[in-house]
Amino acid sequence: MSTNYDAYEVVVGLEVHAQLLTNSKLFCGDSAAFGGEPNTHISPITLAHPGTLPKLNKKAITYAVKIGLACNCTITRHNYFARKNYFYPDLPKGYQLSQHTTAICQGGFVTIRTQEGTRDIRLNRIHMEEDAGKSLHDVDDKNTCVDYNRAGVPLVEIVTEPDIHSGDEAYAYLTELRKLLRYLEICDGNMEEGSMRCDANISVRKIGDPKLGTKVEVKNLNSIRNVKRAIEFEAKRLVDVIEAGEKVIQQTRSFDAGNGTTFALRTKEDANDYRYFADPDLTPFVVTDDLLQDVRSSIPELPEARVARYTQQLQLPEYDARVITDEKELAVYYEQITAHSTNYKAAANWMLGPIKSWLNETGEPITALPVKPEGIASLIALIDSNQVNFSVASTKIFGALLKEPGKDALQIAKELNLLQDSDEGNVAAWVEEVLSKMPDKVAEFKKGKKGLIGLFVGEVKKVSKGKADPKLTNDILLKKLQ
């Protein structure tokens, strides 16, 4: 008998750790930069030598408040750090400094879009903590090595309510959250480098059952796609366990990206006793009115606000607006084009067409594009003034500008003899030449085969070597044929 998976509802809560882009660590001046030779971004404070004392990084607090405001959270004014005690080789102090009963950001939500429509994923909290070091199992044949470069790097942990009900929703949520982090410039969101990491708490229950099922936690998910895959696999596995009459065991699992399956790491107790207590070496800290105001005023226009402005004020289709605002740098480049051109739709077409193609082909960010925004604006102006058509501008002139970005678009068009001929006499002569060669097609057109106009336009383009103004060509052709 086949299993009816549709009778079950998947319930998922996500915990995202985002490394904050501060120059130094959360409680000392050691570099927080990614990479570096192992154990070079360390000091006696990172290594917790006796007699060392932590000092809080103010920039990390402002970054935590920033993501909280962007996610519609309530900001906690009075905060403290607690010691979360556990012993592991990559934790030099024997405890981790984290926020326990108070989180700097409470509640809030992130809006997602899926095929089912728009809805809010509620957040439980966002709290601050320091990262642990990294155990390396593939450096030495007989020993595990530890790199403490990452130990003490500031993190925010962003915890959702169990509001996610599919792998697609998790994918949409993480994509939106990463976009926010990047827009705010507080985390680069690079999951492959570990600067954004995600654990998924997954359970299933019969549809209509108000009680949550026993959850499993899947860790070590290193891409948004793998979070989606892990949820889809694990949900099916949990239903299979229940349908077989077995009990779901609360445990921590890992995901094998190679075969798309999860496997058990350890059984998880209902409550871990980390023996939390307020850190005696750190005074509580207060988010003041001035700090809150400074952070609020530093938040840039976020993606949804940009989409609304592009669609309402600039009259762009929503699809165009969403693609352009997907990355902050794309939106900035687009707005630099529109500072030199009021043809907003044409600017969007360049972003979604030739520019996007160049980005995909080269794998480079838009900041590496040789052609400056004003160069694109000058190409738009050439097309709008009927001096060249889009096809010529996007292939020949844009290609030449990529090689010689210092040149002007009009200068290149003249050098390559690409300027359109809008002289009515010249275009009429080319039209006459084409029509005289194709009397049978002319007769067919006059009998009602109006689709042949495209053929005539194409032939005029050939005989004029692409220089005939297409609009003028069309107008003259229709006059002659009638």
Side-chain angles (χ1 to χ4, degrees):
M1 195 172 111
S2 62
T3 303
N4 182 13
Y5 295 104
D6 291 339
Y8 288 84
E9 178 186 46
V10 186
V11 181
V12 179
L14 296 180
E15 299 170 7
V16 172
H17 286 90
Q19 275 186 8
L20 300 177
L21 284 172
T22 54
N23 292 324
S24 55
K25 294 184 179 180
L26 188 52
F27 299 110
C28 70
D30 297 345
S31 170
F34 174 77
E37 288 298 309
N39 298 313
T40 53
H41 299 168
I42 59 171
S43 68
I45 300 177
T46 289
L47 297 176
H49 286 189
T52 56
L53 289 171
K55 185 179 179 183
L56 183 55
N57 184 333
K58 184 181 176 183
K59 179 65 70 83
I61 298 171
T62 64
Y63 282 0
V65 172
K66 213 172 190 181
I67 185 62
L69 291 174
C71 292
N72 316 287
C73 303
T74 301
I75 305 301
T76 303
R77 296 305 194 94
H78 294 272
N79 296 264
Y80 73 93
F81 280 94
R83 293 185 180 183
K84 179 181 180 183
N85 295 275
Y86 64 98
F87 293 94
Y88 207 71
D90 61 15
L91 199 69
K93 291 193 284 277
Y95 59 83
Q96 179 189 33
L97 285 168
S98 179
Q99 290 188 296
H100 176 39
T101 55
T102 65
I104 193 164
C105 311
Q106 307 271 2
F109 61 89
V110 172
T111 303
I112 65 164
R113 276 169 184 74
T114 63
Q115 289 181 326
E116 284 71 45
T118 302
R119 74 183 193 86
D120 295 337
I121 302 298
R122 292 173 303 148
L123 301 182
N124 176 282
R125 68 184 185 278
I126 300 174
H127 67 260
M128 300 175 69
E129 62 187 28
E130 60 179 343
D131 209 345
K134 192 174 183 182
S135 296
L136 304 168
H137 307 291
D138 54 359
V139 175
D140 188 296
D141 289 341
K142 296 178 180 175
N143 299 293
T144 290
C145 299
V146 183
D147 177 9
Y148 288 119
N149 279 353
R150 201 173 70 182
V153 168
L155 303 174
V156 284
E157 183 174 352
I158 304 159
V159 183
T160 74
E161 296 288 1
D163 272 8
I164 295 167
H165 299 294
S166 69
D168 285 331
E169 286 191 354
Y171 191 99
Y173 166 79
L174 289 170
T175 302
E176 201 59 40
L177 182 63
R178 182 169 66 178
K179 195 190 299 182
L180 279 176
L181 290 165
R182 287 175 170 172
Y183 257 78
L184 298 170
E185 296 179 356
I186 63 172
C187 173
D188 62 23
N190 190 328
M191 292 185 79
E192 291 74 20
E193 290 182 359
S195 56
M196 179 171 146
R197 310 194 286 277
C198 181
D199 299 336
N201 293 295
I202 307 163
S203 65
V204 296
R205 63 184 173 190
K206 281 281 181 77
I207 288 176
D209 186 346
K211 189 182 173 191
L212 289 170
T214 303
K215 71 177 180 182
V216 295
E217 182 180 25
V218 183
K219 298 182 86 71
N220 306 329
L221 297 167
N222 64 353
S223 75
I224 293 178
R225 181 171 169 268
N226 282 342
V227 174
K228 177 180 183 293
R229 292 172 68 207
I231 289 168
E232 289 170 349
F233 172 83
E234 193 57 29
K236 186 173 179 295
R237 186 190 73 83
L238 290 172
V239 171
D240 288 341
V241 168
I242 294 167
E243 288 289 304
E246 299 169 17
K247 187 180 176 185
V248 173
I249 300 166
Q250 184 168 328
Q251 59 186 191
T252 301
R253 299 177 71 84
S254 188
F255 180 68
D256 185 329
N259 59 24
T261 63
T262 66
F263 57 92
L265 291 173
R266 58 186 178 272
T267 301
K268 198 175 178 85
E269 299 299 327
D270 283 336
N272 285 303
D273 181 15
Y274 289 118
R275 292 176 292 115
Y276 281 102
F277 61 88
D279 187 276
D281 294 332
L282 281 163
T283 56
F285 67 94
V286 177
V287 177
T288 63
D289 289 341
D290 287 346
L291 177 65
L292 201 55
Q293 186 52 43
D294 286 348
V295 175
R296 202 185 294 279
S297 62
S298 75
I299 293 177
E301 187 180 28
L302 295 176
E304 283 308 307
R306 279 191 202 243
V307 169
R309 180 163 62 83
Y310 289 0
T311 52
Q312 291 162 24
Q313 292 180 22
L314 308 187
Q315 298 294 299
L316 290 189
E318 186 176 345
Y319 174 82
D320 293 20
R322 292 209 174 277
V323 174
I324 292 167
T325 58
D326 198 41
E327 292 175 31
K328 187 180 180 183
E329 289 77 14
L330 288 179
V332 167
Y333 191 94
Y334 173 75
E335 297 203 6
Q336 288 170 341
I337 298 174
T338 57
H340 297 90
S341 170
T342 54
N343 193 336
Y344 307 125
K345 178 57 178 145
N349 292 343
W350 277 90
M351 294 296 300
L352 274 60
I355 291 172
K356 200 80 171 158
S357 296
W358 183 87
L359 296 173
N360 291 338
E361 284 164 18
T362 61
E364 296 280 357
I366 196 156
T367 47
L369 180 65
V371 185
K372 297 289 176 266
E374 48 268 38
I376 302 297
S378 67
L379 284 169
I380 293 169
L382 280 180
I383 298 165
D384 287 350
S385 59
N386 289 324
Q387 294 183 80
V388 296
N389 60 45
F390 178 77
S391 174
V392 166
S394 61
T395 53
K396 296 180 178 173
I397 304 177
F398 181 63
L401 276 174
L402 286 170
K403 291 173 187 161
E404 298 181 272
K407 283 194 173 179
D408 176 70
L410 178 59
Q411 179 189 355
I412 287 174
K414 285 176 178 173
E415 285 177 6
L416 298 178
N417 196 25
L418 297 172
L419 289 177
Q420 280 180 176
D421 194 330
S422 297
D423 182 282
E424 199 162 336
N426 291 343
V427 176
W430 286 320
V431 168
E432 280 292 351
E433 184 185 336
V434 166
L435 295 182
S436 64
K437 286 181 187 170
M438 309 173 79
D440 52 336
K441 297 294 180 189
V442 171
E444 284 178 40
F445 180 89
K446 288 182 176 177
K447 285 178 184 172
K449 257 187 134 174
K450 303 299 180 191
L452 285 168
I453 192 74
L455 173 70
F456 298 136
V457 171
E459 288 300 313
V460 172
K461 188 178 175 183
K462 277 184 200 168
V463 298
S464 70
K465 296 187 171 63
K467 295 187 78 172
D469 180 331
K471 186 177 183 307
L472 189 58
T473 300
N474 213 57
D475 293 344
I476 293 173
L477 270 167
L478 288 171
K479 277 183 195 169
K480 299 266 186 193
L481 289 164
Q482 283 161 7

